[in-house]
Amino acid sequence: MQAVSAQRDQLGECPRWHAETQTLWWVDILQHQIHHHHPASGAHGVIQLEEEIGCFIWRKTGGLIVGLQSGLAFIDDLTNPVLRPIAAPEADKPWQRFNDGRCDPAGRFIAGTMNGRKDDSYGTFYQLDAALNLRQLVGKSWTCNGLAFSPDGKTLYWSDTPIQNRNIYRCDYDVETGNVSNQQLFFHVPEGMGRPDGATVDSEGNYWSAQYAGSRVLCISPQGELLRNIELPVTNPTMPCFGGPDLKTLYITSASQGMSEEHLAAHPLEGAVLAIPMDVAGLPEVAFAG
């Protein structure tokens, strides 16, 4: 286990492996940044935005689609990151922002919002198709998180991060229509193990969930059985993804927000992106079809 770079994020999130360029991408939400890192050469770049960004994915036609504080937008030219707004479904709730998101196997972008105030205003996942039609999907949680799909695309997973819940859900998913049904509890994180944050699914169908404030990543079988409990040298891991030439490196973002200078000096990996060799491969990310 090692740090990918010397970068220390305040709130690292949304790691994504870009197979064509063999680069790892992720965001620092609080710094309004998108990072991209080439592990083989050590080359590192930053795209600076002017607002918080929770998630992103590449587009088949080039550029990115991003989930922001203000809504969903395109970035057409990564060397000149001008936002081209698509939709702002929660413009009447300026305290909310987009958090977790990725594409389904058909290339629809699904992104969830979160309520930083933790009051009775909930977040939800939205689904955007290639024709830019937007609809609500699942959610109603304080922090929509943990979005991932089974290898066949027929199961959608999501979680709610606050300590009052700690639940991970599974739903039946129709890739052809994008419809969701039959939501049920998939796994409840036991007290003392952290709170379910971002997640990914490997090629065998196991669900890997970062446990914020739990210093660990949990690997859960499709049947809801805890298979692995990997302890980490960071307090707040936020999301895993599989990358590397064979998709057998587990990358994990983390957060250092709210930590004292004394703590950070004593724990140099807080806020780092970690890399762990694995014996199982992940799944490639699907680009947005629009």
Side-chain angles (χ1 to χ4, degrees):
M1 187 183 309
Q2 63 182 12
V4 168
S5 71
Q7 171 71 26
R8 170 174 274 170
D9 297 317
Q10 288 189 31
L11 183 50
E13 266 285 8
C14 196
R16 296 282 182 260
W17 181 258
H18 192 254
E20 292 181 10
T21 59
Q22 293 289 289
T23 53
L24 178 69
W25 292 57
W26 72 91
V27 304
D28 185 336
I29 296 175
L30 299 183
Q31 296 276 49
H32 310 171
Q33 294 172 338
I34 305 173
H35 292 263
H36 49 92
H37 183 85
H38 189 253
S41 67
H44 190 102
V46 180
I47 299 171
Q48 184 67 52
L49 303 178
E50 295 183 358
E51 62 177 289
E52 293 184 355
I53 173 172
C55 57
F56 72 96
I57 198 63
W58 303 279
R59 300 175 63 198
K60 289 185 178 179
T61 55
L64 302 174
I65 182 171
V66 294
L68 306 154
Q69 177 79 47
S70 60
L72 300 175
F74 289 136
I75 298 178
D76 299 308
D77 182 358
L78 300 184
T79 62
N80 182 29
V82 176
L83 299 176
R84 180 157 60 92
I86 303 169
E90 297 185 356
D92 60 330
K93 302 174 183 177
W95 58 88
Q96 308 242 128
R97 67 162 169 81
F98 273 94
N99 190 50
D100 192 19
R102 65 168 16 108
C103 284
D104 73 7
R108 304 178 188 92
F109 187 56
I110 302 172
T113 54
M114 64 167 285
N115 171 19
R117 302 192 312 192
K118 303 295 186 290
D119 55 19
D120 59 355
S121 175
Y122 294 99
T124 186
F125 280 103
Y126 295 88
Q127 181 191 79
L128 185 77
D129 66 19
L132 305 188
N133 299 306
L134 185 73
R135 63 169 174 167
Q136 288 191 16
L137 203 62
V138 292
K140 195 177 181 183
S141 63
W142 278 338
T143 307
C144 287
N145 233 324
L147 184 73
F149 288 91
S150 60
D152 62 7
K154 294 182 179 180
T155 301
L156 177 152
Y157 300 95
W158 70 278
S159 66
D160 192 6
T161 301
I163 196 168
Q164 296 91 333
N165 191 328
R166 307 198 313 277
N167 287 337
I168 302 171
Y169 303 94
R170 60 174 294 163
C171 314
D172 294 335
Y173 193 80
D174 188 322
V175 177
E176 183 176 348
T177 64
N179 293 335
V180 173
S181 61
N182 192 31
Q183 178 173 298
Q184 56 191 285
L185 179 65
F186 171 58
F187 187 83
H188 178 73
V189 177
E191 186 174 356
M193 296 185 73
R195 313 193 311 257
D197 205 310
T200 190
V201 168
D202 66 30
S203 57
E204 297 178 357
N206 301 312
Y207 182 86
W208 297 74
S209 173
Q211 301 303 303
Y212 194 92
S215 302
R216 72 192 71 234
V217 168
L218 303 180
C219 176
I220 307 162
S221 77
Q223 294 74 39
E225 177 188 2
L226 180 60
L227 301 179
R228 301 192 197 184
N229 176 3
I230 302 176
E231 296 187 359
L232 304 171
V234 295
T235 305
N236 300 322
T238 55
M239 188 173 188
C241 83
F242 284 90
D246 55 3
L247 293 180
K248 287 188 175 180
T249 299
L250 189 68
Y251 291 105
I252 307 163
T253 49
S254 68
S256 63
Q257 60 178 338
M259 296 177 178
S260 68
E261 291 299 326
E262 293 77 12
H263 178 88
L264 293 176
H267 301 84
L269 291 180
E270 300 281 26
V273 180
L274 303 176
I276 309 174
M278 303 302 298
D279 56 4
V280 63
L283 299 169
E285 289 290 339
V286 178
F288 179 59

